[in-house]
């Protein structure tokens, strides 16, 4: 492998799901319960059902503004994101591994999260400093991380696919799709529930050195 660029997914790879869950499940459910005057648990079930009916292949799935309009919620996405920003949690191995990789590789962040969402996570963790670029596929490319999005990434970085290594926790968006266009990819499986992939970023160092 002649890797020049390492591309990282964000949610589930560098930060855990606490913040996303707080915003999408907790905060949105509260607002929806308020709006509809229904119990919180019922609100939660309904919004989660709506999310899964939409599915994560659709751009709107990632767009808080869309859901605010659709459910006619009070307040704004911005307020909601600010309210839960202290829930952002970075995985323990991230800083150390990025410190060791920077200087040796070009590092980029490539996420399906919307820009406003990603921005809060970057500010809270200070991860910004490690990346030459941070790219929100849905905000910047107007598409989920499909094979075309990975080709765009390669074009944007002016580097051929075979010199890029992408790492992330979603089998399709972070593993199959980049592989389709010749980008090296590694699946990370933080909770260890699935047998495939590596279980933490320390293993990434081993893969690169080995
Ligand atoms: Mg992810």
């Amino acid at each position: 492998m002649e890797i020049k660029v390492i591309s990282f997914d964000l949610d589930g790879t560098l930060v855990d799901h606490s913040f996303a869950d707080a915003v999408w499940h907790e905060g949105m459910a509260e607002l929806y319960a308020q709006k509809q005057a229904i119990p919180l648990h019922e609100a939660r079930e309904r919004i989660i059902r709506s999310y899964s009916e939409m599915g994560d292949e659709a751009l709107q799935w990632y767009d808080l503004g869309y859901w605010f309009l659709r459910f006619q919620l009070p307040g704004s996405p911005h307020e909601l994101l600010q309210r839960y920003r202290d829930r952002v949690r970075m995985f323990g191995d991230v800083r150390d591994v990025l410190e060791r990789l920077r200087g040796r590789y070009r590092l980029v962040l490539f996420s399906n999260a919307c820009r406003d969402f990603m921005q809060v996570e970057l500010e809270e963790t200070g991860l910004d400093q490690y990346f030459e670029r941070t790219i929100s596929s849905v905000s910047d490319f107007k598409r989920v991380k499909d094979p075309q999005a990975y080709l765009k990434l390669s074009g944007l970085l002016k580097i051929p696919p075979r010199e890029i290594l992408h790492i992330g926790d979603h089998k399709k968006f972070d593993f199959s799709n980049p592989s389709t266009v010749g980008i090296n990819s590694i699946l990370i499986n933080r909770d260890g529930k699935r047998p495939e992939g590596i279980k933490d970023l320390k293993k990434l160092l081993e893969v690169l050195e080995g």
Side-chain angles (χ1 to χ4, degrees):
M1 280 200 289
E2 41 159 353
I3 301 301
K4 303 255 172 58
V5 173
I6 306 178
S7 158
F8 292 85
D9 169 53
L10 181 58
D11 292 294
T13 301
L14 302 182
V15 304
D16 72 16
H17 291 292
S18 311
F19 176 62
D21 286 349
V23 170
W24 290 102
H25 296 166
E26 218 176 297
M28 290 295 277
E30 251 177 56
L31 294 173
Y32 188 78
Q34 216 176 300
K35 169 77 189 170
Q36 300 289 331
I38 58 174
L40 187 59
H41 68 92
E42 199 183 322
R44 193 182 150 98
E45 272 168 34
R46 279 206 220 164
I47 59 162
I48 290 175
R49 198 180 316 129
S50 299
Y51 299 155
S52 60
E53 279 165 12
M54 162 89 67
D56 62 4
E57 296 279 343
L59 285 182
Q60 290 101 322
W61 193 81
Y62 302 88
D63 183 354
L64 270 178
Y66 164 83
W67 294 103
F68 264 75
L69 280 177
R70 172 162 160 180
F71 295 146
Q72 298 182 294
L73 301 179
S76 70
H78 180 76
E79 280 166 24
L80 187 64
L81 292 171
Q82 295 309 317
R83 186 169 148 206
Y84 289 106
R85 62 183 304 145
D86 64 342
R87 301 279 190 97
V88 176
R89 295 279 176 276
M90 186 166 65
F91 288 110
D93 54 2
V94 174
R95 200 171 297 280
D96 185 48
V97 169
L98 292 178
E99 285 289 348
R100 291 172 64 172
L101 293 176
R102 84 158 145 197
R104 293 161 59 193
Y105 300 92
R106 293 168 63 190
L107 306 179
V108 301
L109 186 80
F110 189 41
S111 170
N112 261 350
C114 274
R115 175 62 63 181
D116 52 358
F117 196 92
M118 195 167 104
Q119 204 52 42
V120 173
E121 296 182 293
L122 290 174
E123 285 166 13
E124 283 297 309
T125 55
L127 279 173
D128 238 347
Q129 57 161 321
Y130 295 101
F131 300 109
E132 127 184 1
R133 295 190 94 115
T134 60
I135 302 126
S136 158
S137 194
V138 306
S139 301
D140 300 341
F141 293 167
K142 307 288 180 236
R143 56 198 315 138
V144 294
K145 291 190 286 189
D146 60 8
Q148 278 306 317
Y150 278 98
L151 286 178
K152 281 189 98 154
L153 178 71
S154 161
L156 183 74
L157 299 171
K158 299 188 171 59
I159 197 110
R162 66 172 185 284
E163 294 178 13
I164 303 173
L165 171 67
H166 177 78
I167 176 160
D169 69 316
H170 193 291
K171 202 165 180 181
K172 183 168 185 189
F173 293 135
D174 296 308
F175 187 75
S176 316
N177 287 351
S179 304
T180 301
V181 298
I183 288 178
N184 304 279
S185 53
I186 295 179
L187 192 64
I188 188 165
N189 178 16
R190 291 280 194 180
D191 58 19
K193 282 185 194 144
R194 288 164 295 146
E196 331 101 308
I198 59 174
K199 71 173 191 345
D200 57 42
L201 284 184
K202 297 257 191 285
K203 286 276 183 302
L204 172 65
L205 295 176
E206 289 172 25
V207 172
L208 288 166
E209 278 150 23

